[in-house]
Amino acid sequence: MIDVDTAFFHSWFRNYVKSFYTEDPKIQQNIRLKEEHTLRVCTEILQLGKALNLNKNALRLAETIALFHDIGRFEQFKTYGTFDDRVSENHATLGLKVLKATAILSRLTKTEQTIVYKAIEYHNVRKVPDNADKIIELHSKLIRDADKLDIWYVVTNYYSERYRHRNPALELELPDTPEYSLCFINDILNNRVSNSHDLKTFNDMKLLQLGWLFDINFAPTFRYIQQRRIIEKIITALPDTDDIQKIRNHLKEYLEKRISARSNEG
Ligand SMILES: [Fe+2]
């Protein structure tokens, strides 16, 4: 693919999203949220890809995946009024339907199209399949890291600003009580990513987001997490208990270990 293709995709994306704009401020806010998220994920993935010394074609492909990874979000919010896949439908699958129905990727080679489709399909699964093709695996891991970096950016800003503007869509309508579920604490202490189906409170969601650290793939991503103080910012939004202190120390140790580990990943 060439630079003209990425420019074409960006312009198509802008127009596509504009067709969802509405006068209703509650809906408009969420359409804009995902539009801005997408554009920042494009920036994140390029930064990460460059840190990993990817070639120009791989960078363009990564940017295309970032641009389209959440394309299903707009239809999802319009139809169901939520970003919660559990009560609507899988937004990655929905996105693939949009991309295939519009045949927007037809200017790419068949191989490139497969990489884009598969990386989008795998961007929100619990684990990228072990038997995935190496290039598909690389691109799936890139979008997963870049996507998480931006969700962390969005939620850490939200946790500090929340007292001013609430957005129930960002809280998945979970109750904001002091409780949290111990399974999330145990998952973190065992370096496991938790299951979103266990979410019961808003605090659980913060714990789930902390546990994404165990799903990060590349050394530069770990460095960005440390530079941006992601762990500290989410911990601040949780109650000050012994459990939380324990996971805080555990996560910080894990992060330091992953950063100092000799790595050929950049
Ligand atoms: Fe995303």
Side-chain angles (χ1 to χ4, degrees), residues 37 41 69-70 123 147 151:
H37 160 70
V41 175
H69 82 283
D70 265 355
H123 96 272
D147 195 20
I151 301 174

Side-chain angles (χ1 to χ4, degrees), residues 189-220:
L189 294 176
N190 289 290
N191 298 3
R192 282 195 302 257
V193 180
S194 302
N195 193 324
S196 60
H197 287 88
D198 295 324
L199 289 172
K200 290 193 180 60
T201 68
F202 185 40
N203 280 334
D204 288 349
M205 198 173 97
K206 298 170 195 164
L207 292 168
L208 175 75
Q209 290 159 353
L210 282 171
W212 289 344
L213 190 66
F214 305 116
D215 194 24
I216 290 303
N217 301 292
F218 300 106

Side-chain angles (χ1 to χ4, degrees), residues 37-54:
H37 160 70
T38 296
L39 297 177
R40 285 190 310 262
V41 175
C42 290
T43 309
E44 294 285 4
I45 213 163
L46 286 175
Q47 180 177 208
L48 176 58
K50 284 175 191 158
L52 295 168
N53 294 318
L54 299 190

